[in-house]
Amino acid sequence: MLTAYDFPNAKLLDEAGVDILLVGDSLGMVVLGFPDTTGVTMAHMLHHVAAVARAKPQALIVADLPIHSYDTPDQALANARQLVAAGADAVKLEGGIRQAEKVRTITRDGIPVMGHLGMLPQRVIEEGGYRRKGKTPEQILALQDGAQALVDAGVFAMVFESIVESAARQLTANIAVPTIGIGSGDGSCDGEVAVIHDLLGAYPWFVPPFARPQADVAAATRHAVAAYVARVRKTS
Ligand code: KIV
């Protein structure tokens, strides 16, 4: 799974064979210039989900429900329906036990839901930073309970973000749906997700420690633009 926020990237990623395109609320940071994901709204998400959907990818389109768009089951369902109307095939939300009723309400309506456990970017302000999870037996137990509550409520898969590798491996073995890891070790989950800007080296101002850039789009862009500016200045 890779994130996609616009038409050309959705087409390119799909042509390259990615299984799932995630219109993540990381949109807020790598596209919209917010410091974290807590400034992302439904209006932002709908705009970008529609752009990705216009690429008509083979890949499944999963759209994040942004912060405060799923505070109650009714609100979660209304906003999930809007994301699907904009072109999403499924929605994703953050959290475990306290989200189970919302997951149940959305899936009962026929909309597939992906869970998201471990480090929850939408809680960065409450938690005072990005904290790795699964470091103690108590934390692992809480993750296990959260994962089971999500499975019981009907999620078809879940993201494990920044979970200690051995804990991610143990949890993956214990739960009945596929897990998709980010910052949770190699091969410890059933699949992996990356933010496309991290993979392409397109957001050089913050690179997560676990990122594995396969290109340097930032350097290529600066080089191409500098060459353009130099040519135009010389010839005008
Ligand atoms: O918003 C996002 O891109 C995500 C991934 C980091 C899993 O939720």
Side-chain angles (χ1 to χ4, degrees):
M1 178 159 90
L2 283 169
T3 64
Y5 315 101
D6 59 30
F7 175 86
N9 268 302
K11 270 193 110 53
L12 290 169
L13 272 48
D14 194 49
E15 285 168 16
V18 70
D19 292 323
I20 306 177
L21 297 176
L22 171 64
V23 189
D25 60 359
S26 51
L27 165 76
M29 297 163 85
V30 297
V31 176
L32 302 179
F34 291 126
D36 54 51
T37 64
T38 63
V40 178
T41 64
M42 274 298 292
H44 294 135
M45 291 304 300
L46 291 170
H47 186 252
H48 288 269
V49 169
V52 167
R54 275 180 217 115
K56 298 193 180 1
Q58 295 282 316
L60 192 81
I61 302 176
V62 177
D64 263 338
L65 280 160
I67 191 167
H68 299 316
S69 72
Y70 54 104
D71 288 344
T72 65
D74 284 350
Q75 188 198 23
L77 177 58
N79 284 319
R81 282 179 175 162
Q82 282 200 63
L83 290 169
V84 168
D89 299 307
V91 300
K92 176 166 82 61
L93 48 71
E94 296 185 6
I97 291 172
R98 66 188 189 144
Q99 309 303 6
E101 199 43 46
K102 296 154 197 172
V103 172
R104 216 167 261 122
T105 303
I106 300 170
T107 52
R108 235 188 258 132
D109 199 55
I111 300 174
V113 180
M114 181 180 279
H116 186 148
L117 287 179
M119 200 272 283
L120 305 179
Q122 291 176 7
R123 302 194 67 184
V124 63
I125 295 171
E126 284 149 272
E127 296 201 354
Y130 295 108
R131 312 251 178 263
R132 204 163 173 67
K133 295 291 159 64
K135 288 197 275 197
T136 62
E138 293 74 28
Q139 280 186 7
I140 297 173
L141 197 61
L143 287 167
Q144 175 68 46
D145 290 347
Q148 195 54 52
L150 290 175
V151 171
D152 292 344
V155 297
F156 70 97
M158 69 185 76
V159 166
F160 277 177
E161 180 158 3
S162 290
I163 295 180
V164 171
E165 181 168 343
S166 54
R169 195 178 298 279
Q170 180 188 327
L171 291 161
T172 294
N174 285 347
I175 63 165
V177 300
T179 62
I180 305 177
I182 179 164
S184 300
D186 281 344
S188 47
C189 296
D190 297 304
E192 268 196 43
V193 56
V195 170
I196 188 63
H197 291 64
D198 296 341
L199 182 71
L200 298 182
Y203 193 86
W205 308 279
F206 173 72
V207 182
F210 53 79
R212 304 250 181 84
Q214 297 289 322
D216 193 347
V217 165
T221 303
R222 286 179 176 136
H223 182 77
V225 173
Y228 171 80
V229 169
R231 180 182 66 73
V232 173
R233 288 212 173 113
K234 203 164 134 198
T235 53
S236 328

